[in-house]
Amino acid sequence: MNDDDNPKAIFPFDYFDPIKRRWVRARWKAKKADIEARGGRIVGPGWVPRDVDGRHGPSTDTDRSD
C-alpha cells in the first residue's frame, strides 16, 4: 500500500486565509479527508507516522541485565 493511499497518512497542505486573501502553507500536517473537507490543497507526499512498539516516548525495557 502506498503511503498516499493509507487512511492514516498525513500531508503537508495549504489553506486559504480569508484575512490575508491568499493561500498559506500550514505549519502542521493533516489527513487527506480533513484537508479536503476544509477546502485545503495538498502540496506534498503523504507520510505515515510509525511507532515501533506501540508506545510513545523512550523505551523502558526492564528485562535487560546490565
Side-chain angles (χ1 to χ4, degrees):
M1 177 184 260
N2 185 352
D3 281 350
D4 290 351
D5 298 330
N6 189 325
K8 293 182 180 180
I10 55 176
F11 297 85
F13 67 98
D14 291 344
Y15 64 93
F16 189 78
D17 185 339
I19 305 284
K20 295 179 181 179
R21 296 186 195 173
R22 65 183 184 100
W23 288 94
V24 178
R25 176 72 45 100
R27 290 192 243 174
W28 61 94
K29 294 178 175 57
K31 293 181 181 177
K32 186 182 282 189
D34 294 333
I35 297 168
E36 292 171 353
R38 291 171 177 79
R41 60 184 183 193
I42 295 172
V43 295
W47 177 77
V48 178
R50 305 190 198 317
D51 23 288
V52 177
D53 59 2
R55 297 177 294 170
H56 296 287
S59 176
T60 56
D61 187 10
T62 57
D63 296 333
R64 292 185 333 174
S65 59
D66 291 352

